[in-house]
Amino acid sequence: MVNLIMLGCNGRMGQMITDIVKEDDDAKIVAGIDIVTNKERDYPVFTDIADCDIAADAIIDFSSANGFEDRMKYAVEKQVPIVVCSTGLSDEQLEYLKECSKKVAVLKSAN
């Protein structure tokens, strides 16, 4: 079983990924991160990734550029591989992503 943290869990793509993972016997979302917390989820939702104390095998990020550095710092510190599908990343943020990828597994994909 692969345990996942879903960043942007209450956005359009986050909801879609949540629905897909529900049907997968080999994966489970164990925590979500989102600024919107008024949606019912089968997992706890935190507004700040720093407050997430739930262990995971990977992170899927379908959130915005806001707070990107904090999310990458979390992935590096916890040594949790991350799939980055965030929109609107600046050149500086993309450079930071490259630096972080030297310390933790990163897959950058388009949203």
Side-chain angles (χ1 to χ4, degrees):
M1 174 77 66
V2 176
N3 292 321
L4 303 167
I5 295 174
M6 183 72 234
L7 301 174
C9 63
N10 290 326
R12 185 173 44 90
M13 289 303 297
Q15 291 178 67
M16 184 181 295
I17 299 296
T18 294
D19 291 342
I20 291 169
V21 171
K22 276 184 189 176
E23 304 301 319
D24 187 338
D25 293 336
D26 295 324
K28 179 180 180 183
I29 298 177
V30 294
I33 313 296
D34 205 299
I35 59 171
V36 176
T37 60
N38 62 352
K39 295 188 182 192
E40 194 67 31
R41 294 280 163 236
D42 295 334
Y43 48 82
V45 177
F46 301 88
T47 57
D48 187 334
I49 196 164
D51 296 332
C52 182
D53 58 354
I54 299 172
D57 301 306
I59 300 169
I60 301 173
D61 186 359
F62 268 103
S63 57
S64 71
N66 295 336
F68 174 75
E69 291 82 359
D70 293 335
R71 298 188 305 266
M72 291 304 300
K73 180 180 174 187
Y74 179 94
V76 169
E77 286 179 355
K78 304 284 186 181
Q79 285 297 285
V80 180
I82 185 167
V83 178
V84 177
C85 304
S86 299
T87 58
L89 297 178
S90 69
D91 290 341
E92 293 80 14
Q93 288 172 317
L94 291 171
E95 187 59 38
Y96 184 65
L97 182 141
K98 285 181 187 176
E99 290 303 312
C100 290
S101 72
K102 296 174 184 174
K103 301 171 188 167
V104 69
V106 175
L107 173 64
K108 171 70 175 98
S109 178
N111 183 336

